[in-house]
Amino acid sequence: MPENGYTADEMMTVAAARMIRNGAVCFVGIGLPSAAANLARLTHAPDTILIYESGTIGTKPSVLPLSIGDGELAETADAVVSLPEIFAYWLQGGRIDLGFLGAAQIDRFANINTTVIGDYYKPSTRLPGAGGAPEIAASSKEVLITLRHNKRAFVNKLDFVTSGGHMEGGDSREKMRLPGKGPTAVITDLGILTPDPVTRELTLTSVHPGISVQKAVEATAWPLKVAPQLHTTEPPTETELAVLRDLYARTARAHAGDA
Amino acid sequence: MPENGYTADEMMTVAAARMIRNGAVCFVGIGLPSAAANLARLTHAPDTILIYESGTIGTKPSVLPLSIGDGELAETADAVVSLPEIFAYWLQGGRIDLGFLGAAQIDRFANINTTVIGDYYKPSTRLPGAGGAPEIAASSKEVLITLRHNKRAFVNKLDFVTSGGHMEGGDSREKMRLPGKGPTAVITDLGILTPDPVTRELTLTSVHPGISVQKAVEATAWPLKVAPQLHTTEPPTETELAVLRDLYARTARAHAGDA
Amino acid sequence: MVRDGDVVALEGFTHLIPFAAGHEIIRQGRRNLSLIRMTPDLIYDQLIGAGCASKLTFSWGGNPGVGSLHRLRDAVEQGWPQPLLVEEHAHAGMAAAYAAGAAHLPFGILRGYLGTDLPKYNSNIKFIDCPFTGERLAAVPAIRPDVTVVHAQKADRRGNVLMWGVVGIQKEAVLAARRSIVTVEEIVDRLDAPPNAVVLPSWVVGAVAEVRGGAFPSYAQGYYPRNNAFYKQWDSISRERESFQSWIERHVLGTSDFDGFKQSLLEAATHA
Amino acid sequence: MVRDGDVVALEGFTHLIPFAAGHEIIRQGRRNLSLIRMTPDLIYDQLIGAGCASKLTFSWGGNPGVGSLHRLRDAVEQGWPQPLLVEEHAHAGMAAAYAAGAAHLPFGILRGYLGTDLPKYNSNIKFIDCPFTGERLAAVPAIRPDVTVVHAQKADRRGNVLMWGVVGIQKEAVLAARRSIVTVEEIVDRLDAPPNAVVLPSWVVGAVAEVRGGAFPSYAQGYYPRNNAFYKQWDSISRERESFQSWIERHVLGTSDFDGFKQSLLEAATHA
């Protein structure tokens, strides 16, 4: 834990949450994206519209859901629709400002893998697979990705492209006619990477407090580009930390269950 | 009015109602089909499932609806679904035993016209058009048609084929891949016509009491075939007449409205 | 929000027909509208008779349970008050086209238009082959109105809209449109929508206005029944151009809003 | 109603997962099932580990919020207890495929599978061109299970079924199937369904059985919450073949019904 009293995961979640502008319509994956989106809703972005792929639209959970379709998501939603509807009318319908995804592997063009490590037919690790991610990545107007930064995750070549980012860079995403503009930031526990405006290669544009550029470079399997004007992420405020920890504490109590 | 105390329209409606077997799932058009289907439900076929194209499934109206989507249809339905759903999941889904249609014109192969009299672009009469009828006629397992019998309706050639019956006769309907088996009876105010098993040409198989074969033949613009074993329709029973008249009386009171 | 030349859909399948909004379009004197509606009903008869429309896309154009729409017929048969281009479908095709519009797909597919002459007269009905079975299916282009107008029962103060009963194609029509207007029976503090109700979140709705009784003479489930008597009266009001014109001038153009319209109808009935 | 070799879908998206029915399939020793389910979840981990399945069609196979499905992984990675053929989709594609099945269309279309490797490994993902715009869209064949099993909150005595909350793909899965089985929390005299609720009329449902708590450890909105603790415990129960086998033998194969299963779990917890 850094000496100033917050963990790297907390910094990552806070940095991700800050990327969400108030009022944005967010299609949120489970795990870190869900934590960040709910933190945003509970701090600077109270009017953010959260949508989970279970068909819960405008949901306002008091604790983080363990699954994508926990009961509280339905109870606190403005509308609950079927799966064909959420994917056709809402995601494909072009109504999502921000898709928010996690990943097991990511490459330099922000393509992600959540399917297999190793060969598809003889995988060393069989991951859960695509879920809603390919179409979230393709159809949301903008995509954020959050995952922990290390060489097993930030790889030179994906074993499987589950969800398209900037494909092979440059204008290759537009050429493949993915509707949205793709990932605009990758938020890790070390810093923030954004695609180069022209090549679309992920570039380190911010490091979190106490993190060296070298550490981020070493945690990346490809030669990581670093922005000339490198920022240092603002550390979490007291409020951000308090709200996040309170959220996790409430969540832990709620998920203890009764088994 | 025939001397035995019922009108030709009443005989037609009763004869049509009798065609509905108890428990059948019926997709019902407005007007005469709706009256016949509700009469069936109120007499010999209480478990008939009525579906109107407004998305009301298993509806049990106490009066005849004036429109296809009157409020009472929704209030008394087992389920009320959207229009994309009623047409895709329910009608196209192959769940309808019996489609029940009216028509302005019909030809010898039970194709019907509800679109225009005269040229399409310069019609002498512009009729309401297709509505749900083409797909009711195509997708229901079986189709009943009811309309008044006269030469303006029973024509040699339709001005417009709105909904396919047995097309050009023989196996032409199957060849065009319409899923259901098509019209199995046409019930008029003069008698009942059923398609010949081979040629599919409509054949007079029953005349209503007091109606001569000659009258039916003269009311048909094509040379009407008459079955060698011609039946005479059973006249309406006292119960059938009482229930039907009661239904119409209730309906008239309800539709007087408040304007 | 409706401009001359717009592609406009006023939807509501026999239920919740946005008459008040339709009258406002007539009062504003909009012209050359491409009107879309599965069941034109009286409101489009009025818009067409008032000269607002140059095109109509529809699948059933009658006065339900009564007979013809005389103004629609006069426009099609005689070109009065102006010629009306017609794009004609079946309900199943229009429902699929609206659903495709809501899903932002370019087209919808259905096992439809088999055995009917409609495709001969509508080049927007095509056929495609299933890439798995080879079966031939109908394809229709998505409907994407410039503006959709619907009427619903309730909205809350944030603008979330709730409707129930026969919900027809209203949700799809709103989601398919570039802009949308919703009139409601009442604006309430809390929607209290039942689970899985048909709710349009505020952020997909362009504007919400409270117009009590705004679906008259159609109905609003839970508020007022269909005025079947008016539907029957419309047959004689609309039958001749003169009677239609004097009606629309007196009751619609001669009034400033829907309350005025209804007051005017009431006075006419009282003095008749 | 489930036979060896059937194509079987047990659906319920995180909610109302038909665990009781799944256990019954395990107890009956069904073999060579082609299992279909968007999110395999624990119930398919159990069916696969118990050797019931030879194929799995799915779009997300994990223990939600916890991690891997170890029995699924063991079957895919090691072929234990038997090799498992995998047909892999994304959620959007499976949702469209179920919707096509419910509509008895041979295929569904979506703007999907763009930029993903999935089509390289799944020949059931094809692409077609829009006949109006030329846009290339993905096509997936309709899902038509031999049997679909779902769990719902209520049925009435006639067999009409009501569900609410996260309704997922359950309605489509039932309507797409040749046969269907619905377990419910309770059978009541009157459904009292709210307007536009998700209701399956009795005549589209093959069989209805009351199994209180039949979705445990998933949840039934209005009845009991998700047992997140069990989901977490499953990670260690299922991680090794031995611990899985002793669990399934003791708690599923060693009990005669779902009440027995839950009683058995309770006893294990008490004596732990």
Side-chain angles (χ1 to χ4, degrees):
Chain A
M1 187 184 291
E3 56 266 44
N4 45 352
Y6 56 88
T7 68
D9 272 8
E10 286 172 338
M11 179 71 253
M12 168 166 59
T13 307
V14 165
R18 288 175 187 158
M19 297 270 173
I20 297 175
R21 65 177 181 287
N22 194 23
V25 178
C26 299
F27 205 105
V28 183
I30 213 70
L32 289 172
S34 172
N38 277 288
L39 176 58
R41 191 174 59 80
L42 296 170
T43 54
H44 69 283
D47 298 326
T48 300
I49 311 292
L50 298 192
I51 300 182
Y52 288 80
E53 66 193 17
S54 54
T56 49
I57 297 172
T59 184
K60 296 161 277 289
S62 62
V63 304
L64 295 175
L66 189 69
S67 85
I68 207 89
D70 278 16
E72 206 198 1
L73 295 177
E75 281 161 10
T76 63
D78 291 327
V80 180
V81 303
S82 72
L83 292 178
E85 180 174 332
I86 197 73
F87 285 104
Y89 288 2
W90 298 84
L91 178 56
Q92 181 178 272
R95 289 171 229 289
I96 309 302
D97 296 319
L98 197 59
F100 208 151
L101 297 170
Q105 286 184 334
I106 189 167
D107 70 14
R108 74 186 70 194
F109 295 116
N111 304 299
I112 62 182
N113 175 16
T114 55
T115 302
V116 287
I117 307 294
D119 180 73
Y120 183 78
Y121 296 105
K122 292 264 173 208
S124 63
T125 306
R126 173 66 234 197
L127 300 165
E135 283 72 30
I136 296 173
S139 289
S140 303
K141 290 174 191 159
E142 190 179 325
V143 176
L144 296 179
I145 300 167
T146 182
L147 78 169
R148 295 192 187 90
H149 207 144
N150 59 61
K151 277 194 170 170
R152 277 174 299 116
F154 283 68
V155 299
N156 203 34
K157 185 168 167 33
L158 298 182
D159 291 322
F160 189 101
V161 181
T162 310
S163 305
H166 296 290
M167 306 312 304
E168 292 162 27
D171 61 355
S172 59
R173 180 183 167 103
E174 286 104 303
K175 280 197 178 143
M176 289 181 72
R177 293 174 180 265
L178 277 68
K181 69 179 178 180
T184 51
V186 177
I187 303 99
T188 82
D189 50 348
L190 303 183
I192 299 170
L193 296 77
T194 57
D196 178 273
V198 177
T199 66
R200 300 276 151 198
E201 181 168 335
L202 286 176
T203 306
L204 185 69
T205 45
S206 188
V207 285
H208 298 330
I211 306 293
S212 67
V213 169
Q214 192 189 346
K215 184 163 183 186
V217 168
E218 283 172 0
T220 308
W222 72 82
L224 180 63
K225 292 231 161 64
V226 180
Q229 297 261 354
L230 187 70
H231 299 275
T232 302
T233 316
E234 285 293 315
T237 66
E238 268 186 46
T239 305
E240 285 168 335
L241 268 187
V243 171
L244 180 61
R245 288 173 183 176
D246 193 41
L247 179 61
Y248 274 124
R250 278 202 308 276
T251 300
R253 281 196 301 274
H255 291 182
D258 56 1
Chain B
M1 188 185 291
E3 53 265 47
N4 44 354
Y6 55 86
T7 68
D9 272 9
E10 285 172 340
M11 179 70 254
M12 167 166 60
T13 308
V14 165
R18 288 175 187 157
M19 296 270 172
I20 298 175
R21 64 179 181 285
N22 194 22
V25 178
C26 300
F27 205 105
V28 183
I30 214 69
L32 289 171
S34 172
N38 277 289
L39 175 60
R41 190 173 60 80
L42 295 170
T43 54
H44 70 282
D47 299 325
T48 300
I49 311 291
L50 298 192
I51 299 182
Y52 288 80
E53 65 193 19
S54 54
T56 48
I57 297 171
T59 184
K60 296 161 278 290
S62 63
V63 303
L64 295 175
L66 188 69
S67 86
I68 208 92
D70 278 16
E72 206 197 1
L73 295 176
E75 281 161 11
T76 62
D78 292 327
V80 181
V81 303
S82 72
L83 291 178
E85 180 174 333
I86 197 74
F87 284 105
Y89 288 3
W90 298 84
L91 178 56
Q92 181 177 270
R95 290 171 228 288
I96 309 302
D97 295 320
L98 196 60
F100 207 152
L101 297 171
Q105 288 185 333
I106 189 166
D107 70 13
R108 76 186 69 194
F109 295 117
N111 305 299
I112 62 181
N113 175 15
T114 56
T115 301
V116 288
I117 307 295
D119 179 73
Y120 183 77
Y121 295 107
K122 292 267 173 203
S124 62
T125 306
R126 173 68 234 196
L127 300 165
E135 283 71 31
I136 297 173
S139 289
S140 303
K141 290 175 192 157
E142 189 179 327
V143 176
L144 297 179
I145 299 167
T146 180
L147 76 169
R148 297 192 184 91
H149 207 144
N150 59 62
K151 276 194 171 171
R152 279 173 300 120
F154 283 69
V155 298
N156 203 35
K157 184 169 168 34
L158 298 181
D159 291 322
F160 190 101
V161 181
T162 310
S163 306
H166 296 291
M167 305 313 303
E168 292 161 27
D171 61 356
S172 58
R173 180 183 166 103
E174 286 105 303
K175 280 196 179 145
M176 289 181 72
R177 294 174 180 267
L178 277 69
K181 68 180 180 182
T184 51
V186 177
I187 303 99
T188 81
D189 50 350
L190 303 182
I192 300 171
L193 297 77
T194 57
D196 178 271
V198 176
T199 67
R200 298 277 151 200
E201 181 170 336
L202 287 176
T203 307
L204 186 69
T205 46
S206 188
V207 285
H208 299 329
I211 306 293
S212 68
V213 168
Q214 192 188 347
K215 184 165 183 185
V217 168
E218 284 173 1
T220 307
W222 71 83
L224 178 64
K225 294 228 162 67
V226 179
Q229 297 261 352
L230 187 68
H231 300 274
T232 301
T233 316
E234 285 294 315
T237 66
E238 269 185 46
T239 304
E240 286 168 334
L241 268 187
V243 170
L244 179 61
R245 287 173 183 177
D246 194 40
L247 178 61
Y248 274 123
R250 279 203 307 277
T251 301
R253 281 195 300 274
H255 290 183
D258 54 1
Chain C
M1 284 174 75
V2 176
R3 300 167 200 149
D4 287 355
D6 270 352
V7 177
V8 178
L10 276 66
E11 279 293 354
F13 196 82
T14 74
H15 179 211
L16 294 171
I17 300 176
F19 274 90
H23 283 187
E24 195 50 34
I25 293 172
I26 294 172
R27 280 191 201 97
Q28 292 178 2
R30 291 284 156 261
R31 287 295 174 270
N32 288 317
L33 301 179
S34 283
L35 294 176
I36 302 178
R37 189 174 151 74
M38 292 177 65
T39 54
D41 201 84
L42 274 48
I43 186 63
Y44 274 26
D45 215 33
Q46 293 170 9
L47 282 157
I48 291 164
C52 302
S54 55
K55 186 181 173 188
L56 173 67
T57 302
F58 77 110
S59 42
W60 194 87
N63 181 343
V66 179
S68 291
L69 292 174
H70 298 293
R71 297 299 94 223
L72 166 57
R73 277 185 60 176
D74 200 14
V76 171
E77 295 170 11
Q78 309 294 334
W80 190 92
Q82 65 180 87
L84 185 71
L85 200 64
V86 158
E87 177 174 336
E88 189 162 2
H89 283 275
H91 280 348
M94 274 192 85
Y98 268 120
H104 287 210
L105 284 175
F107 71 110
I109 53 174
L110 67 155
R111 189 178 291 109
Y113 295 109
L114 289 166
T116 162
D117 282 345
L118 283 165
K120 294 183 192 166
Y121 297 93
N122 182 346
S123 59
N124 268 337
I125 301 165
K126 297 194 174 184
F127 292 87
I128 60 165
D129 296 329
C130 171
F132 301 97
T133 63
E135 181 182 351
R136 209 160 178 70
L137 294 162
V140 287
I143 292 174
R144 299 293 310 274
D146 293 318
V147 188
T148 285
V149 185
V150 300
H151 188 74
Q153 279 107 334
K154 284 186 191 178
D156 66 17
R157 301 202 184 282
R158 291 183 298 150
N160 299 304
V161 171
L162 169 66
M163 63 183 83
W164 67 87
V166 170
V167 292
I169 198 75
Q170 280 125 292
K171 182 183 205 169
E172 286 76 14
V174 167
L175 293 179
R178 288 168 179 80
R179 308 190 294 283
S180 62
I181 302 169
V182 182
T183 56
V184 295
E185 286 297 321
E186 54 175 339
I187 292 177
V188 296
D189 288 332
R190 291 166 46 94
L191 278 188
D192 290 321
N196 308 111
V198 179
V199 171
L200 292 167
S202 58
W203 50 277
V204 297
V205 175
V208 174
E210 186 179 271
V211 186
R212 290 180 188 245
F216 170 91
S218 78
Y219 71 105
Q221 191 115 32
Y223 291 80
Y224 46 90
R226 192 168 189 272
N227 195 307
N228 286 321
F230 185 86
Y231 273 84
K232 290 175 181 166
Q233 285 165 19
W234 183 251
D235 192 63
S236 58
I237 294 168
S238 63
R239 190 172 289 269
E240 302 299 330
R241 294 174 186 172
E242 295 68 29
S243 56
F244 165 76
Q245 280 187 307
S246 73
W247 186 91
I248 203 103
E249 276 162 23
R250 174 171 177 187
H251 298 298
V252 179
L253 295 170
T255 58
S256 59
D257 60 18
F258 207 62
D259 280 345
F261 161 73
K262 283 194 284 189
Q263 186 61 33
S264 156
L265 277 192
L266 198 65
E267 279 163 18
T270 314
H271 297 102
Chain D
M1 285 174 72
V2 175
R3 301 167 199 150
D4 288 353
D6 270 352
V7 177
V8 178
L10 277 65
E11 280 293 353
F13 196 82
T14 73
H15 179 211
L16 295 172
I17 301 176
F19 273 89
H23 283 188
E24 195 49 35
I25 293 171
I26 294 173
R27 281 191 201 96
Q28 292 178 4
R30 290 285 155 259
R31 288 293 175 270
N32 288 318
L33 301 179
S34 282
L35 294 176
I36 303 179
R37 189 173 151 76
M38 291 178 65
T39 54
D41 202 82
L42 274 50
I43 186 63
Y44 273 27
D45 214 32
Q46 293 170 9
L47 282 157
I48 291 164
C52 301
S54 55
K55 185 181 173 189
L56 173 66
T57 301
F58 77 109
S59 43
W60 194 87
N63 181 343
V66 178
S68 290
L69 293 174
H70 299 293
R71 296 299 96 223
L72 166 57
R73 278 184 60 175
D74 201 14
V76 172
E77 295 170 11
Q78 310 292 335
W80 190 92
Q82 67 179 84
L84 186 71
L85 200 64
V86 159
E87 176 175 337
E88 189 163 1
H89 283 275
H91 280 349
M94 276 193 84
Y98 269 120
H104 287 213
L105 283 176
F107 71 111
I109 53 172
L110 66 156
R111 187 179 291 110
Y113 296 109
L114 288 167
T116 162
D117 281 345
L118 284 165
K120 294 182 190 167
Y121 297 92
N122 182 345
S123 59
N124 266 338
I125 302 165
K126 297 193 176 187
F127 293 87
I128 60 164
D129 296 330
C130 170
F132 301 98
T133 64
E135 182 182 351
R136 208 159 177 72
L137 294 163
V140 287
I143 293 174
R144 299 293 309 273
D146 293 318
V147 189
T148 285
V149 186
V150 300
H151 187 75
Q153 280 108 333
K154 285 185 190 178
D156 67 17
R157 301 202 184 280
R158 290 183 298 150
N160 299 304
V161 171
L162 170 66
M163 63 182 80
W164 68 87
V166 170
V167 292
I169 198 76
Q170 281 125 293
K171 182 183 203 168
E172 285 77 13
V174 167
L175 294 179
R178 288 168 177 79
R179 308 190 295 281
S180 62
I181 303 168
V182 182
T183 56
V184 295
E185 286 298 321
E186 54 175 340
I187 291 177
V188 295
D189 288 331
R190 292 165 48 95
L191 278 189
D192 290 323
N196 309 110
V198 179
V199 171
L200 292 167
S202 58
W203 51 276
V204 297
V205 175
V208 174
E210 186 178 89
V211 187
R212 291 180 186 245
F216 170 93
S218 79
Y219 71 105
Q221 192 114 33
Y223 291 80
Y224 46 89
R226 193 168 189 272
N227 195 308
N228 286 321
F230 185 86
Y231 273 85
K232 290 174 182 169
Q233 286 166 17
W234 183 252
D235 193 63
S236 58
I237 294 168
S238 63
R239 190 173 290 269
E240 302 300 332
R241 293 173 187 173
E242 294 68 29
S243 55
F244 165 77
Q245 281 187 305
S246 73
W247 186 91
I248 204 102
E249 276 163 22
R250 174 169 178 189
H251 298 297
V252 179
L253 295 171
T255 58
S256 60
D257 59 20
F258 207 61
D259 281 343
F261 160 72
K262 284 193 283 188
Q263 186 61 33
S264 155
L265 278 193
L266 197 66
E267 279 164 17
T270 315
H271 298 104

